[in-house]
Structure formats: structure tokens, C-alpha cells
Amino acid sequence: MNTGYYEIDDIVAEDEQIPCIFNVDAVDLGYLDENSNDEDIKKDSKIPLPFWLTQVLATRNMVTPTLPKCFGNRFRESLLADPKVVDLNDENEYFYELGAKLVVLARDPDIADMLKRSLASRYQEIIKRDHTYRSIDFTQFTSRLTNMEMRLMNSIQEGVKNRKAHSLSASSSTKLAQRTRKRSAADL
């Protein structure tokens, strides 16, 4: 996974909202709470903040982030029960990208395990379904995939396309070489 300052997927993933509890009174930051008209945020207020801001404030012990529902224990159990049927795109289009960032922020190795196990299972399903990508139910299947899974599927399809092109090219080269040898032998 490419990450970096200019990676659009990274930027969008870091804009995802993370529920946070303020550990301090935050003066003149009331505008962060869309549901309040107060100028300040009171200690123990629970407000969703974009991941990039959560990360900064958490390192300064100003907020305590809580996991979004799609990374909580209940969702984790249902996802790991059968990862292939869960609509991760509906939960969070950047599920894996955000999850990788939350592993570091929350220091929760269970998130890393969930990401690894669910992606492995879903990847097998992507490979299996890729062979029938022109089928009727393919649109329904792809609508449940996250951004990363769609990129994986597109890479697989590109690889298959390149392999076919290479096979055709190699086959044409072999036939051309055989014809050239026949002509050379006939000329002798």
C-alpha cells in the first residue's frame, strides 16, 4: 500500500471521523463540534474528529480516541465469522487504510489481526470471482469491496490481461521463427 503526503487514498482515509473524548477543556475550539454553539469544548465531551486531527491531539494527550464501530468488538466478531459476506464498503470505503493507521494510534494488535485475516479471506474470494467477472452478480460483489480490494482486483485483471498479451506475443514470435526456419531450409 502506497502511503504518503500526496497519496489521495491516504488523504481521504485520514479524513475519516474518529470518536474522541476530550481530556481537557479546549478553548475556542467549539467550532469542531457541529452540534454545539459553544465557543469552547468541555472536558469529557465526545466529538468525532478527522483522523489526522485525532492523531495530533492524541499525541498531546488532549483527546482519547475511541474506535469507530467498524473496528469495535461486535463488528470484528461478525467480520471474522465470515469476511466474504460483509459489506465493508458500506462500513468504510477506506477500511484497510484507516485500520492500518488505527493499529498504530490505538496500539491494538487485534485490529492488525482482523485486517490480515479478513483481507486474506476476501482476497481469495476476489481471485475466485475474478475468473467470472463478466457474470451478472459481479456488480453486486464489487459494490461490497473497499478501495484497496478494488485496486487488488484491478491489478489481478491487469496481470491476466498482460499475461494473455505476452502469451499471444510469444506464440506469434514462435510461429514467425518457425516460418523463417522453413524458408531458410527451403532456400538451401
Side-chain angles (χ1 to χ4, degrees), residues 25-120:
D25 289 333
V27 179
D28 293 331
L29 292 180
Y31 62 89
L32 293 174
D33 186 0
E34 296 174 356
N35 299 324
S36 174
N37 292 328
D38 296 339
E39 286 186 26
D40 303 333
I41 296 175
K42 304 282 187 229
K43 181 179 178 179
D44 297 324
S45 296
K46 188 172 185 176
I47 299 171
L49 299 172
F51 177 84
W52 62 267
L53 182 57
T54 300
Q55 190 175 28
V56 171
L57 296 178
T59 57
R60 296 177 181 168
N61 293 321
M62 294 178 71
V63 298
T64 300
T66 58
L67 293 176
K69 289 181 181 178
C70 63
F71 293 98
N73 288 332
R74 177 178 275 167
F75 183 79
R76 190 179 304 177
E77 288 173 8
S78 67
L79 176 62
L80 294 178
D82 194 357
K84 298 173 196 167
V85 299
V86 175
D87 186 350
L88 283 180
N89 190 40
D90 189 44
E91 293 298 324
N92 188 316
E93 184 179 358
Y94 293 90
F95 180 78
Y96 293 105
E97 293 89 344
L98 181 61
K101 293 173 182 303
L102 284 172
V103 167
V104 176
L105 182 67
R107 295 183 182 102
D108 187 348
D110 291 341
I111 295 173
D113 182 58
M114 173 188 65
L115 294 172
K116 183 172 51 174
R117 290 173 51 194
S118 66
L119 184 59

Side-chain angles (χ1 to χ4, degrees), residues 150-170:
M150 284 299 293
R151 287 193 331 251
L152 285 171
M153 188 181 73
N154 290 336
S155 294
I156 291 168
Q157 290 175 351
E158 187 68 26
V160 168
K161 183 175 141 185
N162 289 341
R163 189 183 72 219
K164 285 180 182 177
H166 177 72
S167 294
L168 290 173
S169 173

